[in-house]
Amino acid sequence: MQNLNVLSQVSLSSEGKWNLMLILTGLRFGSIGIYFLAFLFLPISRGSVLLSIIDIPFEQATRYHVWLGHLTMSFFTLHGLCFVIAWAMEGQLLDEILQWADEGIAVLPGVISLLAGLLMWVTTLPLVRKKKFELFFYTHQLYAVFVIFLALHVGDFIFSITAGGIFLFVIDRFLRFCQSRRTVDVISVTCLPGGSVELVFSKPANLRYTALSFIFLQIRELSWLQWHPFSVSSSPLAGRKHISVLIKVLGEWTSNLKSKVLHMPGTEGENGLRSQSRSRITVSIEGPYGHEIPYHLTYENLILVAGGSGISPFLAVLSDILHLTNQGKPCLPKNVLLIWAIRRSNELHLLSTLDTESICPNFSDKLDLEVRVYVTRELHPPLEEGNMDKGISTSVSPLLRGSGMSVLVGPGNRTWSGAYVISSVVGFAVLMALLDIFYINPLNIATWWYKGLLLVGCMIGSAIIFGGPVIYLWHRWEKRAVAAEEDEDGKKDDRSQQSEHFKTMQDDVDPKDHAVSGTTHYGARPNFEEIFTSMSERWGKVDIGVIVCGPATLQSSVAKQCRSQNLRRGALHPVFHYNSHSFDL
């Protein structure tokens, strides 16, 4: 309506009015895109204090980033398309695209920014992201080009609309960079049957996480740039100085990891021969991320639904509940049903990583735990069950010279993280004021694109110059805290004993004897309507917590059934509380 009002006040030819309408509409689209961009970077600030305050874990916040990304690029694409059509109709397309004006909008940087954004946008499509994750990951690093050239395109005043969210992302990114530079000790590496690898890492005792936390993992021998998220498979109560993850071999990166593990010194390969090569892995970790509150402990009745490798976080949940039950600590869950859908029976060995009896002897007297496994692509159990034990191999590093995980990112550090954010924000204001007083005003700098570049430089510089000393002090405090805890325990981080303990544990455990007991259904899929109805009648009207980790189709089926049960429930039937634990990056 505003565009039509402007057109009514000018006297132009019909073609001139069309051109003006396109230009005005393009400006509107660009303005709307700027406001979407202002929020685009907030959900992907993994260690953001803001997300922890409002208790939205990163893996769930990413969906807002996806939606905002689609909206932002849609409006920016329409913005550019309107101008391209208008300039083409005027016969000035090439001249206008190559324009880089000192005052007003610089067009060429905007074209570069839009092209970078389009490359990122195309590779986020599900077909590209799932089949070519590396392509999606690497092209997404163009966000730096997108942001910097956008600032050059619109100048400091318009770019300042988006600066808040981008600045918080810059702060978070520098903090994560400082954490991820540390090399983390690998206590043990185990290659399990069925194509899974278990990694156990060293961590300081003061590092906090929950059973539903996850970490980002980088292995430099595989890639210096790729970071992959994995759910934690160990309970925070299972060990004060270690944390573990289960990795299922599905793609190129995980296949290369398994190959590295099988060629580590002292590792027994799939052919039964020990490797003599000097292959090794150098690990860096970001995180842990996730809910700070263990919401799985807030339900008396709990249904865990896993698909494939989605069993990993639930092994940590069950371990958490068993440890609390054994220690006599407050633990609300009394009835737990684990439903696990897998394709092949060789994945069943993942259950053997949870030794229920050693964690909580005679746990069945205190906890009603039922496990139902559905093997969807096999009609009968394997004829030779002895074959299922083949392929187990373990490698324990003979000499650990790295360190435990850093506490710079993750829950439980509000004071230090708050000090880091405040110092960076104050530093940004100081840098902008000094720049304005001693450089911009005295020299009468009025170039839009240059002032936009200075604004971006101040954002990056403040996080490093003013936030860096806080991170350094935080790191020093962390080292003193770890040293104090080691002195209190009466030992100086004896990792060699810890490694030997894990080796002994891996060698002595018989998966058949220690696997979680339950029923296995071959050639069938779980009937959630029947299962949920029977649990509702058995457990009474006490509310039931449902947590799902697996493919989108599995999550959709469980969510639909929870909704259906709640809509038709009677007065004596429980409410099903649906929770999903997964991330789609």
Side-chain angles (χ1 to χ4, degrees):
M1 295 300 295
Q2 291 180 8
N3 291 349
L4 292 173
N5 183 48
V6 172
L7 289 176
S8 66
Q9 298 177 12
V10 297
S11 56
L12 294 171
S13 63
S14 176
E15 184 178 349
K17 286 189 175 182
W18 270 109
N19 281 353
L20 181 59
M21 184 66 174
L22 283 170
I23 290 173
L24 292 174
T25 303
L27 289 173
R28 306 291 181 199
F29 283 139
S31 299
I32 296 171
I34 285 289
Y35 287 110
F36 283 127
L37 182 62
F39 297 94
L40 179 62
F41 287 87
L42 290 176
I44 54 169
S45 298
R46 298 175 188 170
S48 172
V49 178
L50 176 63
L51 291 181
S52 64
I53 290 175
I54 60 180
D55 195 28
I56 297 181
F58 167 72
E59 73 273 15
Q60 295 183 13
T62 52
R63 68 187 65 180
Y64 298 102
H65 172 72
V66 172
W67 298 336
L68 287 165
H70 288 312
L71 289 169
T72 300
M73 288 312 305
S74 296
F75 279 96
F76 279 170
T77 302
L78 292 172
H79 163 74
L81 191 61
C82 286
F83 278 95
V84 167
I85 295 173
W87 292 334
M89 291 175 64
E90 294 175 352
Q92 300 177 350
L93 179 59
L94 186 59
D95 293 338
E96 291 288 351
I97 284 179
L98 297 178
Q99 179 190 5
W100 194 318
D102 288 337
E103 293 189 12
I105 301 296
V107 178
L108 183 57
V111 174
I112 297 173
S113 178
L114 180 59
L115 290 176
L118 288 174
L119 280 174
M120 290 189 291
W121 194 23
V122 169
T123 56
T124 60
L125 298 176
L127 288 177
V128 179
R129 188 182 70 249
K130 291 182 179 179
K131 294 185 178 181
K132 298 289 184 180
F133 180 83
E134 288 78 10
L135 178 63
F136 156 75
F137 180 84
Y138 289 127
T139 54
H140 236 62
Q141 308 312 308
L142 291 172
Y143 72 85
V145 176
F146 174 77
V147 170
I148 292 173
F149 279 90
L150 177 65
L152 297 176
H153 173 57
V154 299
D156 61 322
F157 180 74
I158 298 177
F159 185 75
S160 64
I161 297 173
T162 69
I166 295 175
F167 183 43
L168 288 178
F169 173 77
V170 170
I171 293 174
D172 173 74
R173 190 66 191 87
F174 181 64
L175 183 64
R176 292 190 284 116
F177 172 81
C178 293
Q179 185 199 35
S180 62
R181 293 308 90 196
R182 174 181 293 187
T183 300
V184 178
D185 286 344
V186 181
I187 297 175
S188 70
V189 184
T190 306
C191 190
L192 300 171
S196 296
V197 176
E198 182 183 37
L199 300 178
V200 182
F201 309 106
S202 173
K203 78 171 187 68
N206 64 334
L207 179 70
R208 290 178 53 191
Y209 70 98
T210 69
L212 289 172
S213 296
F214 69 97
I215 60 176
F216 278 82
L217 190 64
Q218 179 209 52
I219 297 180
R220 298 177 187 177
E221 286 77 14
L222 303 182
S223 173
W224 277 82
L225 294 178
Q226 291 188 38
W227 292 82
H228 293 264
F230 297 102
S231 296
V232 172
S233 61
S234 60
S235 165
L237 301 174
R240 298 176 64 244
K241 295 189 177 182
H242 76 270
I243 186 172
S244 62
V245 295
L246 279 174
I247 300 174
K248 185 176 181 179
V249 177
L250 295 173
E252 181 180 353
W253 189 89
T254 51
S255 297
N256 292 337
L257 171 61
K258 182 179 179 181
S259 177
K260 282 284 183 184
V261 170
L262 292 175
H263 288 85
M264 291 180 69
T267 302
E268 185 176 325
E270 293 177 324
N271 57 1
L273 300 176
R274 286 194 174 271
S275 171
Q276 300 300 321
S277 63
R278 299 301 298 173
S279 178
R280 60 189 297 271
I281 57 174
T282 305
V283 177
S284 294
I285 293 176
E286 276 188 19
Y289 302 107
H291 278 286
E292 294 191 22
I293 300 175
Y295 66 89
H296 60 282
L297 298 178
T298 62
Y299 300 103
E300 182 177 331
N301 300 320
L302 196 59
I303 296 179
L304 308 174
V305 183
S309 58
I311 190 66
S312 179
F314 295 150
L315 295 176
V317 168
L318 293 177
S319 177
D320 210 26
I321 295 173
L322 289 169
H323 275 95
L324 288 171
T325 302
N326 185 55
Q327 296 172 12
K329 295 182 179 179
C331 181
L332 194 56
K334 302 299 180 185
N335 304 296
V336 180
L337 170 63
L338 172 61
I339 303 171
W340 187 24
I342 55 177
R343 295 181 178 181
R344 303 291 179 184
S345 57
N346 59 2
E347 298 181 43
L348 288 170
H349 276 277
L350 292 179
L351 288 176
S352 67
T353 59
L354 179 64
D355 189 352
T356 54
E357 286 298 329
S358 66
I359 296 174
C360 183
N362 302 319
F363 70 91
S364 57
D365 297 336
K366 307 173 185 177
L367 176 68
D368 180 14
L369 173 60
E370 181 182 356
V371 178
R372 301 183 188 180
V373 182
Y374 295 83
V375 184
T376 59
R377 296 192 177 182
E378 292 182 6
L379 298 178
H380 305 285
L383 295 178
E384 299 181 19
E385 298 203 4
N387 291 338
M388 296 177 64
D389 288 334
K390 291 184 179 179
I392 295 181
S393 58
T394 303
S395 172
V396 181
S397 302
L399 186 62
L400 303 171
R401 294 188 178 276
S403 58
M405 291 172 57
S406 171
V407 299
L408 290 182
V409 178
N413 293 295
R414 294 276 179 85
T415 303
W416 281 108
S417 57
Y420 168 64
V421 172
I422 292 172
S423 64
S424 299
V425 172
V426 172
F428 174 70
V430 170
L431 282 181
M432 287 297 296
L434 293 175
L435 197 66
D436 196 57
I437 295 172
F438 295 104
Y439 182 64
I440 294 177
N441 288 337
L443 299 181
N444 295 320
I445 295 176
T447 304
W448 282 32
W449 65 265
Y450 183 57
K451 293 173 72 175
L453 184 61
L454 291 175
L455 178 60
V456 174
C458 287
M459 292 166 59
I460 298 173
S462 61
I464 299 173
I465 298 172
F466 290 86
V470 176
I471 294 178
Y472 174 76
L473 295 174
W474 189 354
H475 176 67
R476 298 290 297 178
W477 169 84
E478 176 191 356
K479 291 181 66 176
R480 291 183 179 180
V482 171
E485 287 179 349
E486 289 179 344
D487 290 339
E488 187 176 337
D489 292 342
K491 56 184 179 181
K492 294 285 187 178
D493 193 17
D494 192 357
R495 294 189 182 89
S496 60
Q497 291 182 8
Q498 196 175 30
S499 300
E500 191 62 34
H501 164 72
F502 272 91
K503 178 175 177 59
T504 303
M505 182 181 68
Q506 295 285 356
D507 291 341
D508 293 344
V509 167
D510 185 347
K512 294 180 181 178
D513 295 338
H514 296 268
V516 180
S517 60
T519 57
T520 304
H521 306 269
Y522 289 88
R525 297 180 181 274
N527 185 332
F528 291 113
E529 180 178 5
E530 178 182 335
I531 294 172
F532 282 27
T533 301
S534 64
M535 291 299 103
S536 174
E537 295 174 353
R538 184 198 303 182
W539 290 342
K541 67 176 184 177
V542 179
D543 291 357
I544 298 175
V546 180
I547 308 177
V548 187
C549 184
T553 52
L554 179 66
Q555 296 182 46
S556 178
S557 298
V558 175
K560 181 179 179 181
Q561 189 54 227
C562 287
R563 184 167 56 249
S564 176
Q565 292 284 340
N566 291 338
L567 287 175
R568 67 170 188 261
R569 76 184 187 92
L572 299 178
H573 290 81
V575 175
F576 287 82
H577 297 267
Y578 174 83
N579 303 271
S580 65
H581 179 76
S582 61
F583 31 81
D584 190 12
L585 303 177

